[in-house]
Amino acid sequence: MTSSTSSPKIYLDNNATTPLDDRVKTAITDALDLWANPSSNNANALKAADAILEARSHLGSMFGVEKEGVVFTSGGTESNNWVIEGAIRAFRKKNKTLIPHIVTTNIEHPSILEPLKRREEDGEITVTYVSVIPSTGYVTPQSIFDALTPATCLVTVMLANNETGVLQPFYGPRNGALIFNPKSERIPPMLLGGNQESGWRSGTENTPMIVGLGEAARIYNEASSNIETVLRQNRDYFEELLVKRLRNSHLIHFLGSPRLPNTSSVAFLYYPSHGCDLLEKCRTFNASTGAACHKNECSPILKACGISFAVASKTVRISFGRSTELAEIDTVVNELVELCSPKNEEL
């Protein structure tokens, strides 16, 4: 049976992006009527500005900061590049002789690693890449402290890795925000112009997407503990089934480490080819071999964690959503058993 005539595939790639929550979709649709420029001084503009302020408050509540500590951006890549650029510029204003130094890890997102590598290659900065412990997948605080120098202007370590375990999906639009302590030292803005976002980030705000992001934060604030419980139950049920059905023919990465609840990174050791090939053969579900930007290659994140190419290349990232059902997990595991069981062995 071809996919065109079968039921829709089960979606287990929520770390790449999530579907829009219906309430978020409604909020975005309604906000399309807030077409006025929020910086203008008329009735329609004030409505748009109020909607942005409400969204800012929801994001602030979610991250435990004042609403003034939320700056809306186009996404994570812009936010990360801004912080890097801002930290370097702020350091140079105070230190004319020292070359700025940055401490990070070897498992960061490309939106951190690539800007650092380019500036490092250009001789603008020096960077210390702290390696994770292969057995746990995380760095120790002491290893970060040991990397600090008098020229260190920024330490950037992701809260959770987007391949081996990530923060909860917010079921909002692909928009972004930079969260900071408004009482901390101000970094210079990267985008200059009309001084929107209280001078932090120029550019007319994208009101509908901001409203959608705020609605997603509001939903999360109201049900965060329940969402986390559902995600963890789904992941644990999936991994327990793998142990029962595939026994030693699979490997769950960092099973003993603290992990965020929706992600399972699994190597199917007896599958005869690589993870991309496995996913191409799967008829019932969609998943990923790692970060969404990695296709048909071994994940550099897993290699940086000390996982061999042979194992990393057979790894699939399963990332559950809050709407994933246990019956869907049964279906997924049944297909994985069919494709990945060792030959001539009953499981």
Side-chain angles (χ1 to χ4, degrees), residues 13-14 20 77 90 162 165 169 179 190 224 281 283 289 298 343:
D13 198 17
N14 288 274
L20 281 177
T77 294
N162 53 309
I179 310 298
M190 184 171 68
S224 59
K281 287 183 169 59
R283 304 180 304 276
T289 55
C298 174
K343 300 300 181 182

Side-chain angles (χ1 to χ4, degrees), residues 28 30 38 50 61 83 104 117 121 126 130 132 150 171 174 179 184 187 199 208 231 239 248 253 268 288 307 314:
I28 293 173
D30 291 346
D50 287 343
S61 297
V83 170
T104 189
K117 288 178 180 178
E121 290 170 356
T126 61
V130 178
V132 300
Y171 289 79
R174 288 187 292 274
I179 310 298
S184 63
I187 62 172
L231 293 174
E239 294 180 350
N248 295 327
H253 298 304
F268 295 95
S288 172
I307 297 171
K314 295 178 183 290

Side-chain angles (χ1 to χ4, degrees), residues 207-230:
T207 302
M209 293 299 102
I210 289 174
V211 169
L213 188 61
E215 177 66 5
R218 184 194 67 79
I219 294 167
Y220 181 82
N221 291 339
E222 291 183 351
S224 59
S225 60
N226 180 62
I227 292 172
E228 292 178 13
T229 298
V230 169

Side-chain angles (χ1 to χ4, degrees), residues 185-241:
E185 183 176 352
R186 187 182 181 107
I187 62 172
M190 184 171 68
L191 299 181
L192 304 176
N195 288 324
Q196 287 86 357
E197 292 296 288
S198 300
W200 285 98
R201 195 263 189 188
S202 294
T204 302
E205 294 92 343
N206 187 343
T207 302
M209 293 299 102
I210 289 174
V211 169
L213 188 61
E215 177 66 5
R218 184 194 67 79
I219 294 167
Y220 181 82
N221 291 339
E222 291 183 351
S224 59
S225 60
N226 180 62
I227 292 172
E228 292 178 13
T229 298
V230 169
L231 293 174
R232 184 173 290 105
Q233 288 175 344
N234 285 337
R235 184 201 65 190
D236 291 350
Y237 180 71
F238 170 74
E239 294 180 350
E240 289 168 2
L241 280 183

